[in-house]
Amino acid sequence: MTDMGNPNFRTFDPAKEAGAEPPQPRGNSLRDRIRRSEQGASIGGAPVQSRSGYVHNPQPSESQPEAQQHDVAMQPAPPVEEPVVEPVGESAPPPIPSPPSQQAQPRPEVTEQIEARAPKKEEPNTNAAQPIGVVLEISGAGSMIAIDLQRLSECSEDDDPSVAMAGQVGSQIKIRVGGSWLLASVRNQRQDRKAGSILANIDFLGEGVEEKLTGRLHGFRRGVTRYPVPGGLVYPATTADLKQVYASDGRSAVTIGKVYPTKDIRAGIYIDAMLGKHFALLGSTGTGKSTSAALILHRICEAAPEGHIVMVDPHGEYSAAFRNTGVILDVSNLQMPYWIMNFEEHCEVLLTSQGNDRQVDEDILAKCLLKARSKSRLAESMGKITVDSPIPYLLSDLSNEIQDQMGKLDKATTSAPYMRIKNKLDELKGDPRYQFMFSGMLVGDSMAEFIGKVFRMPSNGKPISIIDVSGVPSDITATVVAVLSRLVFDFAIWGREERTSPILLVCEEAHRYVPSEKNADGNSVGKILSRIAKEGRKYGISLGLITQRPSDLAEGVLSQCGTIISMRLNNDRDQDFVRAAMPEGARGFLDAIPALRNRECIICGEGVAIPIRVSFDNLEEAKRPASEDPSFVELWNQTGGEEDIVERTVQRWRSQG
């Protein structure tokens, strides 16, 4: 008799629910079928000879009455369930002979086989070895399973946290397919009141080989080559299984925390895979996003002390975190030469007009800027140059050229465009806030020195440079970031003939610089970062985006990130945006994003073996960014010295313009 001939099997066939005979109370439930297999010894069944403890093929109990009677006769009278718990828990060894002629073997011989295997068994817990449900439907990416509610309750009390989470949303389960285990993630749950069970959708993650002695999973790899069939048994994934899944496959990796809900499995990220295809760190304010970013960068710096990392810090909070392991560059020591800007960036800084006047101003600036660059000795030695060539020039030469062009009688327009450009140029030269860039001291050819300082070439054991732009005037902050980003890209393009030196560019508050289409303002920074996202990996450039508003980020840029690290997101629009950007197999994890604790995250993509939920490690105090929220009650209970604080603040305010 097959399963399809067993009337009990109708419980798990939704298509036949309506036409089925009224089920007996709990008689046809998944739990009762598992329980019958566990108690089969007392009624003459053959669960001792079943590898799963689940009467998936009831043939022995229905068609082998002689074997049943013989089994009962050979069993000691008082301890009816003497062979029940231990044999049912065996999930790894092949089933004890199934032919009818062998099922009637004496009980002592069966017991000897069980005892012989017992010392090799590493999982005495029967919850891990007993099924919790069956497969109902199969599709290419996922499946539907039925889970027994009472089995979930039993598993929830298990000492193994992975087994305790079995069947819950975001947990992992495994399905035996031939000699392999198929690992899947539970996406959702709903109650099936007719069958007295729980229906759940699962997403397939990958598969691994089953160890014959222990039944554990090993040799895990992504993808599915062989699918289960409806009726297949579903088991909890144990901590031992997950250790095999999350174990490094030999690639360079860094550990950043623990895999939830386990207690001792370390969560690792493959550096090459994560950086090679970009990554994004997302999370609402207050979730520990900055500390987590610092943790990841610290781990990368420790693994690659001669690396090249450039981080744009708009709030000045990472200076404290990398003071000992990196170089801090701000308006006091950045010394970015103005002539390193290309023509588009010059226009953003010097032109204030819009519409038709903008085009007129651009034509004038292009002509005057090219002539100012041409007066350089370096330009004379190079021959032909363009308006974008990073050739040093004097601001006074540009101002004089604008003045000369304005004085010509054959000019095509009035003097107003010339005056607008000249006045803006004079403003930049005289404003102390712009001295880090528009200073007469920066006219020398310091391009190689500047690039070496910013890109950490050589790194000298400090592979990261923090570009603190908190002191940069807001009207040119985007331009400064654009210049730095473009230098990274251009350096990689023009350095193709040299030994490859990959560079990681990390942008905090990325939605400021790469806004979505509805918020786009046409700045050059958005264009260059979008280009890096699309083409950077070909030239050895990695892009790391950190933002609290992923929905305000350009969708095309986020979709280019191969690894997404999502912390708690409180906004529904942000959650939907991230859900659309993440791969299908991570959907079950994504539902947990609003419920994540601080410093917890969901990681999916190229940087991890499978989507995982991670609890970040605690970072040492000296390595944390200055981003902790102030204690209002504590600070508001302190007094004294307010007048001096105000006086000093006003003085600094005025001295910086």
Side-chain angles (χ1 to χ4, degrees):
M1 182 180 295
T2 65
D3 285 344
M4 299 305 295
N6 181 3
N8 291 340
F9 194 77
R10 294 178 186 170
T11 304
F12 303 101
D13 189 351
K16 297 182 180 180
E17 284 285 312
E21 296 180 3
Q24 301 176 0
R26 294 287 295 171
N28 290 334
S29 70
L30 176 58
R31 174 57 184 167
D32 284 332
R33 299 177 69 183
I34 296 176
R35 182 179 296 168
R36 283 199 298 272
S37 71
E38 295 174 351
Q39 298 176 347
S42 62
I43 62 173
V48 172
Q49 302 162 14
S50 170
R51 125 178 14 192
S52 64
Y54 178 86
V55 186
H56 184 55
N57 186 352
Q59 184 174 356
S61 62
E62 296 183 5
S63 62
Q64 301 291 333
E66 295 83 359
Q68 294 174 0
Q69 295 172 5
H70 186 74
D71 261 356
V72 174
M74 295 301 297
Q75 182 176 343
V80 178
E81 55 273 359
E82 174 252 321
V84 173
V85 177
E86 296 298 332
V88 173
E90 295 292 330
S91 63
I96 296 176
S98 57
S101 61
Q102 299 180 15
Q103 289 179 354
Q105 295 178 0
R107 177 68 61 182
E109 184 175 342
V110 175
T111 305
E112 289 176 3
Q113 295 183 36
I114 296 172
E115 291 176 352
R117 291 196 300 266
K120 300 176 183 178
K121 184 180 176 184
E122 300 181 20
E123 294 176 354
N125 193 333
T126 58
N127 282 327
Q130 295 176 2
I132 61 173
V134 296
V135 177
L136 297 181
E137 298 178 1
I138 294 293
S139 64
S143 170
M144 178 181 289
I145 62 175
I147 310 174
D148 180 70
L149 183 59
Q150 189 169 345
R151 284 290 294 125
L152 286 188
S153 178
E154 293 173 359
C155 290
S156 65
E157 300 175 357
D158 199 279
D159 293 335
D160 186 336
S162 299
V163 176
M165 283 283 293
Q168 300 185 27
V169 174
S171 67
Q172 283 79 43
I173 53 94
K174 59 183 182 181
I175 305 169
R176 180 182 284 110
V177 183
S180 302
W181 283 116
L182 183 61
L183 195 71
S185 171
V186 179
R187 183 193 301 183
N188 53 37
Q189 292 180 344
R190 69 179 184 275
Q191 186 176 9
D192 183 6
R193 301 193 178 188
K194 292 183 179 180
S197 61
I198 293 177
L199 300 180
N201 292 103
I202 61 175
D203 299 312
F204 296 135
L205 301 174
E207 58 189 4
V209 181
E210 178 186 7
E211 290 182 353
K212 296 305 180 183
L213 294 180
T214 65
R216 291 180 177 176
L217 178 151
H218 72 95
F220 179 83
R221 59 191 180 278
R222 274 187 177 182
V224 180
T225 57
R226 185 177 176 186
Y227 288 91
V229 295
L233 300 181
V234 177
Y235 295 85
T238 66
T239 296
D241 293 329
L242 297 183
K243 282 184 178 179
Q244 293 292 327
V245 172
Y246 298 125
S248 175
D249 58 7
R251 292 180 288 171
S252 299
V254 294
T255 58
I256 57 174
K258 294 181 180 178
V259 177
Y260 179 88
T262 65
K263 301 176 181 178
D264 55 353
I265 297 182
R266 299 291 293 160
I269 297 180
Y270 296 116
I271 301 178
D272 291 340
M274 182 180 74
L275 301 186
K277 296 183 179 179
H278 313 311
F279 71 93
L281 175 58
L282 318 172
S284 297
T285 301
T287 58
K289 184 172 72 277
S290 299
T291 305
S292 302
L295 172 65
I296 294 173
L297 292 177
H298 273 300
R299 294 287 190 267
I300 294 176
C301 291
E302 292 168 2
E306 300 300 323
H308 313 289
I309 305 174
V310 181
M311 183 174 193
V312 178
D313 179 12
H315 303 302
E317 57 187 359
Y318 290 92
S319 300
F322 295 95
R323 194 171 303 279
N324 298 324
T325 57
V327 174
I328 313 302
L329 302 174
D330 54 21
V331 292
S332 65
N333 61 351
L334 181 59
Q335 295 182 332
M336 174 185 291
Y338 56 87
W339 48 263
I340 212 169
M341 295 187 296
N342 63 15
F343 175 66
E344 183 178 7
E345 292 152 1
H346 271 88
C347 291
E348 290 183 2
V349 174
L350 294 174
L351 304 187
T352 57
S353 55
Q354 301 293 334
N356 294 333
D357 291 341
R358 179 81 173 190
Q359 185 60 51
V360 174
D361 291 2
E362 287 181 359
D363 294 340
I364 294 173
L365 181 59
K367 183 184 297 184
C368 297
L369 180 59
L370 181 58
K371 287 195 174 184
R373 289 192 192 275
S374 301
K375 293 182 179 180
S376 170
R377 292 181 180 178
L378 183 59
E380 295 175 357
S381 63
M382 294 184 63
K384 184 178 180 180
I385 66 170
T386 68
V387 71
D388 287 326
S389 299
I391 303 296
Y393 70 90
L394 294 174
L395 290 174
S396 57
D397 286 343
L398 177 59
S399 180
N400 293 336
E401 189 61 35
I402 295 174
Q403 185 74 31
D404 293 343
Q405 292 293 330
M406 182 175 59
K408 290 184 177 180
L409 298 177
D410 58 348
K411 60 181 181 292
T413 180
T414 63
S415 300
Y418 298 93
M419 292 301 300
R420 283 197 297 266
I421 300 174
K422 189 174 184 304
N423 290 340
K424 183 63 177 179
L425 183 59
D426 292 340
E427 176 187 338
L428 295 176
K429 291 168 59 178
D431 194 329
R433 296 178 303 164
Y434 299 91
Q435 290 302 300
F436 75 96
M437 189 173 184
F438 293 92
S439 170
M441 303 297 294
L442 299 176
V443 70
D445 183 11
S446 57
M447 185 173 181
E449 179 185 352
F450 178 76
I451 288 178
K453 177 177 65 174
V454 173
F455 296 173
R456 307 306 306 138
M457 294 183 178
S459 61
N460 296 323
K462 294 186 175 183
I464 185 170
S465 62
I466 305 297
I467 313 297
D468 181 0
V469 296
S470 59
V472 175
S474 58
D475 57 335
I476 66 167
T477 300
T479 305
V480 171
V481 178
V483 172
L484 294 170
S485 305
R486 182 183 54 80
L487 287 177
V488 172
F489 190 75
D490 288 349
F491 180 81
I493 289 179
W494 295 107
R496 285 175 294 181
E497 302 296 329
E498 306 294 335
R499 178 171 58 88
T500 303
S501 297
I503 300 175
L504 169 60
L505 176 63
V506 183
C507 286
E508 174 71 272
E509 300 287 356
H511 59 274
R512 287 187 179 184
Y513 310 119
V514 202
S516 57
E517 293 183 1
K518 64 178 182 179
N519 298 325
D521 50 8
N523 281 345
S524 58
V525 62
K527 298 177 184 177
I528 186 60
L529 289 178
S530 297
R531 189 177 181 188
I532 290 176
K534 297 173 184 176
E535 307 174 26
R537 56 185 296 269
K538 302 176 183 178
Y539 304 105
I541 305 174
S542 178
L543 183 63
L545 303 177
I546 305 173
T547 179
Q548 59 185 332
R549 293 302 306 271
S551 60
D552 289 342
L553 197 65
E555 185 175 0
V557 173
L558 187 60
S559 64
Q560 295 292 329
C561 294
T563 304
I564 296 181
I565 307 170
S566 178
M567 307 185 76
R568 187 175 69 249
L569 292 168
N570 300 324
N571 186 280
D572 291 340
R573 194 158 58 96
D574 291 332
Q575 296 170 17
D576 294 339
F577 194 81
V578 175
R579 187 174 289 107
M582 281 197 175
E584 185 74 17
R587 296 297 172 86
F589 291 86
L590 294 178
D591 295 334
I593 285 181
L596 292 174
R597 303 173 182 173
N598 285 353
R599 307 196 70 247
E600 280 189 352
C601 71
I602 303 294
I603 307 178
C604 69
E606 301 293 333
V608 289
I610 63 171
I612 54 177
R613 179 174 173 178
V614 176
S615 177
F616 282 110
D617 289 336
N618 289 324
L619 197 60
E620 297 91 333
E621 187 71 30
K623 295 183 177 180
R624 295 179 187 174
S627 58
E628 295 185 359
D629 297 330
S631 172
F632 286 83
V633 174
E634 180 180 346
L635 295 177
W636 283 353
N637 276 286
Q638 300 175 4
T639 184
E642 284 85 353
E643 296 87 351
D644 296 336
I645 293 176
V646 172
E647 192 69 30
R648 290 193 298 269
T649 301
V650 170
Q651 184 64 29
R652 288 193 298 270
W653 196 343
R654 286 174 173 170
S655 63
Q656 295 184 8

